[in-house]
Amino acid sequence: MDLKHILSKLENSSEEDAETLLQQFNRENSRTFTFEKNEETLRSKLCQSVLTILQRRVRPRYQRTCLETLRILSRDKRVLAPVATKDSILLLGGLARLHGGHNGDDNQNSTHEDDRSEDEEKVVVEALKCLCNVVYNSPEAQQVSVDVQLAHGLCASLSAARTWHHEVGLFTLRLVFLLSALRSDVRGVMKREWHAVRLLSEVLEHTLDVRWVGPHEAASPDPQASPMPADDNERAMETLKALFNLTLSSTGGDEDDRQFRVIAAILRHLLMLKTETEEKTEEAHSHAVNLLNNLPVPCLDVLIDVPVQGGQEKYGGKNMDAIQKLLDFMEKRIDKGSNYKEGLTPVLSLLTEGSRCHREIRRYIKAQVLPPLKDVKIRPEVGSTLRNKLVRLMTHVDMGVKQTAAEFLFVLCKESVDNLLKYTGYGNAAGLLVARGLLAGGRGETQYSEDEDSDTEEYKSAKPFINPITGHIEEPMPNPIEEMTEDQKEYEAEKLANMFDKLSR
């Protein structure tokens, strides 16, 4: 559709005709994400024309059409100058019902969501979508958003989360995520002044329908319950992403620690929930792992300390269901065989630090990953057990993956070089030992409790015959000189002497 034609018509047509024209543009470009460079000026003018119409406070249906046009145009970062102004951001913030800061008083958000017409609801959603695009694509708009305290309006909106319709909630959370990801200064203000971490925790708690049975213990999900609805799952994922940004650099303190323990308890509940598909469950677990990595390690005791639901006596009465979910998630990520750096290392790091800090977690994981050795005729890296898979990662080409996997196994062995070599062989462990300066043996620096497991009889009887380099019993090699004549032996001896001479020189 010709942009010059649209611009000329917008200036001289009635509201109805202009709306019809923009609707046609929206239909034709709903899936357009790349734009002609030679029409940048015209698209920028169209942005300005649409903003001018919106400033006139036209009826909601026309507002919605204008915002749809602006949303399509805002996919092009080169035409956003008219939108990246204080007046435009305030206008969009007002249409999105984000009040607070320079948008006015918190009480201005007077229209309850349930009282809005469908068109008014769509106006709010489209305005939020526009703000998401504009903030993502324009550093200038990001700065203006900071200047007008858009984040304050977002936090005020978070406090009304229980009344949200799905899309309003989804795009409010997405905007919180974008602003907190792109502006570290906004993160600090949102945490300190507007209590965004607490507000987002409450959003997550409400979305996941958490029912508390103890200070940091959510009621166990009903095994017969339906999977989490898709809308709830989608909002929960956006909340987790925003919380991840806001907890990236936490200074701690009593209030923070209390809030972190609440978050850990909600994440434990999330790990136990079913979603509609295995893929969505894996996505939820991935975001939960990322967020758990941001929490102080002592808070991870919340994952296993659930008195009402009870635990296993051999692990001090602690409940290991959540840890098993994390182990299952880790194994799935290993089995995928790709994107280890982003997909696998976070859960390995989480389980490593949890094992280092919490004795019961380490004991449980050790029993699953490194059970007492019995069969030592096969190399440690050969096979389909979790131990075999992790030992293979110790020689991975990616240095980060290799180090993280080795560190995980080292901590499970209580940072004892002898124990590590028993399960992995010297060849697989050499990289870690060099990096830690432990080639000659010894222990890492962390203090652990006394050993609670012992070698099996099978391992004890086989130990003298295990090759320490490969970590398994090798078949006896044939004597290479047995079939040689005396002349051949003499020739090989001279060859060896020459090689030693060359090496010494």
Side-chain angles (χ1 to χ4, degrees), residues 155 158 190-191 194-201 243 246:
C155 289
L158 289 177
M190 288 177 83
K191 281 194 299 187
W194 301 323
H195 312 292
V197 172
R198 176 180 58 78
L199 290 168
L200 285 166
S201 301
L243 272 170
L246 290 167

Side-chain angles (χ1 to χ4, degrees), residues 480-496:
I481 65 170
E482 205 171 78
E483 302 293 324
M484 287 184 184
T485 65
E486 290 303 317
D487 288 346
Q488 285 174 319
K489 289 177 185 176
E490 193 174 331
Y491 170 76
E492 291 296 336
E494 285 179 8
K495 187 176 168 186
L496 191 59

Side-chain angles (χ1 to χ4, degrees), residues 118-146:
E118 187 180 345
D119 281 329
E120 287 172 332
E121 185 74 20
K122 290 291 183 184
V123 165
V124 174
V125 172
E126 285 297 332
L128 285 166
K129 287 180 179 178
C130 284
L131 283 168
C132 286
N133 279 2
V134 171
V135 165
Y136 179 69
N137 282 320
S138 168
E140 293 78 15
Q142 292 163 23
Q143 182 58 54
V144 174
S145 298
V146 173

Side-chain angles (χ1 to χ4, degrees), residues 446-465:
T446 310
Q447 295 297 312
Y448 294 91
S449 59
E450 289 303 308
D451 215 337
E452 68 276 327
D453 59 2
S454 56
D455 294 333
T456 62
E457 290 303 319
E458 293 93 330
Y459 178 76
K460 285 178 182 174
S461 61
K463 188 175 179 182
F465 309 104

Side-chain angles (χ1 to χ4, degrees), residues 211-431:
R211 290 176 295 109
W212 297 106
V213 295
H216 299 116
E217 182 177 359
S220 184
D222 181 357
Q224 306 304 318
S226 301
M228 195 195 321
D231 285 357
D232 289 353
N233 186 71
E234 203 173 7
R235 288 198 309 280
M237 296 309 99
E238 289 298 331
T239 311
L240 289 169
K241 285 156 57 179
L243 272 170
F244 175 81
N245 290 343
L246 290 167
T247 55
L248 262 175
S249 52
S250 298
T251 51
D254 289 346
E255 188 179 344
D256 278 349
D257 284 349
R258 280 195 295 273
Q259 190 59 58
F260 292 150
R261 287 182 174 278
V262 170
I263 292 171
I266 296 172
L267 292 177
R268 183 189 186 281
H269 180 71
L270 174 63
L271 289 170
M272 309 313 294
L273 286 174
K274 289 186 296 186
T275 62
E276 290 182 321
T277 66
E278 197 173 316
E279 190 179 335
K280 285 184 177 178
T281 299
E282 193 175 331
E283 182 194 5
H285 289 184
S286 177
H287 287 307
V289 164
N290 291 339
L291 183 49
L292 283 167
N293 267 309
N294 283 357
L295 305 184
V297 182
C299 294
L300 297 183
D301 64 351
V302 172
L303 295 180
I304 59 174
D305 193 10
V306 280
V308 174
Q309 290 158 59
Q312 295 168 264
E313 196 174 320
K314 63 179 176 178
Y315 299 113
K318 304 299 183 185
N319 188 309
M320 295 296 167
D321 293 349
I323 303 302
Q324 186 58 53
K325 291 283 185 186
L326 293 171
L327 280 172
D328 294 341
F329 172 75
M330 179 184 76
E331 188 162 14
K332 278 181 191 168
R333 285 294 167 96
I334 294 174
D335 291 344
K336 271 194 168 179
S338 61
N339 195 25
Y340 282 154
K341 197 169 188 68
E342 292 177 13
L344 177 63
T345 54
V347 68
L348 274 174
S349 297
L350 175 66
L351 292 175
T352 301
E353 292 310 310
S355 298
R356 204 192 301 270
C357 186
H358 300 282
R359 176 173 177 261
E360 293 86 1
I361 291 178
R362 182 187 57 74
R363 285 185 61 209
Y364 179 79
I365 295 176
K366 170 97 182 286
Q368 312 307 309
V369 176
L370 300 175
L373 281 175
K374 291 183 178 179
D375 184 1
V376 285
K377 292 180 180 176
I378 303 171
R379 283 175 175 262
E381 67 271 23
V382 176
S384 58
T385 68
L386 197 43
R387 169 191 166 226
N388 302 144
K389 294 171 183 179
L390 286 161
V391 172
R392 285 198 287 274
L393 289 178
M394 294 176 81
T395 52
H396 194 272
V397 291
D398 186 292
M399 187 63 74
V401 173
K402 179 166 76 172
Q403 288 175 342
T404 311
E407 187 74 15
F408 175 54
L409 292 173
F410 193 42
V411 168
L412 293 186
C413 294
K414 298 205 277 197
E415 300 188 28
S416 160
V417 172
D418 288 345
N419 274 348
L420 181 69
L421 295 181
K422 179 172 81 175
Y423 287 105
T424 68
Y426 202 91
N428 291 311

